[in-house]
Amino acid sequence: MTSPRDRRVSARIGAIAESATLKVDARAKALKAEGRPVIGFGAGEPDFPTPDYVVDAAVEAARDPKNHRYTPAGGLPELKQAIVEKTLRDSGLEITPAQVLVSNGGKQAIYSAFATMLDPGDEVIVPAPYWTTYPESIQLAGGVAVEVVADETQDYKVTVEQLEAARTERTKVLLFVSPSNPTGAVYTADEIRAIGAWVEEHELWVLTDEIYEHLLYDGVSTGSLPVLCPSLRDHCVIVNGVAKTYAMTGWRVGWLVGPTDLVKAATNLQSHATSNVSNVSQRAAIAALVGDLTAVDEMKVAFDRRRQTIVAMLNEIDGVYCPTPEGAFYVYPSVKGLLGKSYDGRVIDTSADLAAYILDEAEVAVVPGEAFGTPGYLRLSYALGDDDLVEGVGRLQKLFS
């Protein structure tokens, strides 16, 4: 007879894959701790410190006893109001505090949104390459991720025709991300309108992740989906946060914006899962959102410089093709020309093999395309120092020369 103790981990949780990006980052940091000169391109984490005025607000908040207590599970009223004002300022979208849920980072917002929107068997169309967390959050919520692949020949952007081919009677939600992690692809306003019209025609929902909204280059113009497609406002959930824009990855403050009934339900879920986000982090986020974007613009100048450098250097490697991203801080080069070959007696058939070889031989950490649903590619974050970037890609050039 089987003992209940033999079923140590539930099938639901056991089916979740470890975050590939965090795994690579942890491996790189562990090797560094051993004294190896590893350069990590794995994590999407700005190398800049959080702006001083944000840190100062947190220090002040930590000394105030009112922040030592429980606060509303859905977020501090002051932060919700700051998100309302920031959303109008940056996106042109008018919302109310009742449409906002403050979460422990963007990941919790994504999971809470899918858990609230999906019933078992509901399908979510997921453009690929995708960020590793999306399919896992959908699966945890009981949904089914339906992948639609867009490669470099179409600038990593899916078309309405592809979306329609993937739609079934079980389709409920389209996941839409622009600028994209992992590719840096940015949809134009016209492309967004076309996709929005398709969503409206088939009466679907949309979850749109806008966390890289401020990281656009080359004068690229885009827009927020519910602003460009007003008919979708009552059937659209926006996910955002302070992590990428303000170099606050460790502070863990994100949010979702959506219809009031959905946000109320997601807030009920969070009240049982985590309760309120750390009050000190929330106070820091208020300072970030009500402040000007000077520090953000300064970081973007550095990201743009690094973007141009990494694209140029990667394209000097025979067998690598790296499109120029228009947003975020990632490149997603095709490395198909390096596969199916032997290096130092080691046969490299997949991009996962290649990433392992690069870490072993060049002490450079990259994330293979398998993690993002499209083998044959690598993702490199250029949110690291200029010197490390040049040194790291230089090692790749030498390894494959």
Side-chain angles (χ1 to χ4, degrees):
M1 184 175 179
T2 301
S3 165
R5 293 182 177 178
D6 292 333
R7 294 181 278 110
R8 300 182 65 86
V9 178
S10 71
R12 183 181 68 260
I13 301 303
I16 301 171
E18 179 181 3
S19 168
T21 53
L22 294 183
K23 179 179 181 180
V24 168
D25 188 54
R27 176 65 174 152
K29 289 176 178 175
L31 291 172
K32 281 184 179 180
E34 295 173 6
R36 292 178 60 179
V38 172
I39 294 176
F41 290 91
E45 183 170 50
D47 64 314
F48 300 98
T50 301
D52 289 342
Y53 65 91
V54 176
V55 176
D56 291 343
V59 171
E60 182 179 347
R63 293 196 174 103
D64 189 337
K66 72 181 180 183
N67 294 314
H68 303 171
R69 306 288 183 256
Y70 291 128
T71 54
L76 291 172
E78 300 95 321
L79 178 52
K80 285 191 172 189
Q81 184 59 39
I83 292 168
V84 167
E85 295 170 5
K86 167 258 177 295
T87 302
L88 180 60
R89 177 194 70 193
D90 295 346
S91 302
L93 180 66
E94 293 188 26
I95 59 172
T96 67
Q99 292 177 262
V100 179
L101 168 62
V102 179
S103 59
N104 291 277
K107 284 186 177 180
Q108 187 181 22
I110 290 165
Y111 169 70
S112 295
F114 283 133
T116 305
M117 299 166 77
L118 300 177
D119 285 314
D122 284 344
E123 293 179 354
V124 181
I125 295 179
V126 180
Y130 50 70
W131 181 43
T132 58
T133 291
Y134 296 133
E136 305 299 338
S137 293
I138 293 165
Q139 179 177 311
L140 268 176
V144 177
V146 177
E147 299 174 17
V148 175
V149 176
D151 65 17
E152 67 276 20
T153 65
Q154 56 194 94
D155 299 324
Y156 299 119
K157 295 188 285 188
V158 296
T159 65
V160 169
E161 291 73 21
Q162 286 181 293
L163 297 176
E164 176 59 22
R167 185 178 63 85
T168 75
E169 61 182 18
R170 298 294 314 215
T171 303
K172 182 174 183 180
V173 182
L174 168 68
L175 172 67
F176 183 77
V177 188
S178 177
S180 163
N181 172 8
T183 67
V186 179
Y187 287 78
T188 67
D190 285 344
E191 290 168 338
I192 294 172
R193 290 189 186 97
I195 289 173
W198 173 81
V199 169
E200 180 64 19
E201 177 186 356
H202 298 292
E203 299 184 350
L204 305 178
W205 285 77
V206 180
L207 188 149
T208 178
D209 188 341
E210 297 186 352
I211 201 162
Y212 294 98
E213 64 181 335
H214 287 292
L215 296 176
L216 298 167
Y217 312 105
D218 298 332
V220 169
S221 177
T222 183
S224 176
L225 191 148
V227 175
L228 295 172
C229 308
S231 63
L232 297 180
R233 290 187 182 186
D234 289 336
H235 300 94
C236 181
V237 175
I238 303 169
V239 173
N240 210 325
V242 296
K244 312 299 184 176
T245 299
Y246 299 96
M248 294 178 67
T249 52
W251 296 80
R252 309 315 302 142
V253 181
W255 59 84
L256 65 81
V257 171
T260 54
D261 58 338
L262 190 145
V263 170
K264 184 178 186 299
T267 302
N268 289 342
L269 169 61
Q270 184 163 297
S271 73
H272 293 291
T274 62
S275 258
N276 63 280
V277 175
S278 162
N279 293 319
V280 172
S281 289
Q282 289 193 76
R283 297 289 177 187
I286 293 170
L289 294 182
V290 302
D292 64 33
L293 296 172
T294 301
V296 176
D297 292 337
E298 291 173 354
M299 285 188 273
K300 189 165 77 169
V301 169
F303 290 144
D304 190 12
R305 180 179 65 247
R306 297 166 184 176
R307 175 183 71 114
Q308 296 178 55
T309 299
I310 196 170
V311 169
M313 291 186 70
L314 285 170
N315 279 326
E316 291 175 4
I317 301 174
D318 189 28
V320 174
Y321 170 64
C322 183
T324 301
E326 294 181 327
F329 40 59
Y330 309 100
V331 289
Y332 199 69
S334 168
V335 293
K336 297 169 189 173
L338 297 177
L339 305 181
K341 299 180 180 179
S342 177
Y343 301 93
D344 302 318
R346 184 169 171 176
V347 178
I348 304 298
D349 288 324
T350 67
S351 46
D353 294 339
L354 188 68
Y357 173 71
I358 288 170
L359 182 58
D360 291 342
E361 300 299 325
E363 297 183 309
V364 171
V366 297
V367 188
E370 282 83 351
F372 309 104
T374 55
Y377 301 81
L378 300 176
R379 192 197 78 169
L380 292 81
S381 167
Y382 51 87
L384 73 169
D386 293 74
D387 291 343
D388 279 350
L389 185 151
V390 172
E391 170 64 21
V393 183
R395 292 182 192 177
L396 299 186
Q397 290 179 331
K398 183 178 180 181
L399 184 63
F400 296 110
S401 62

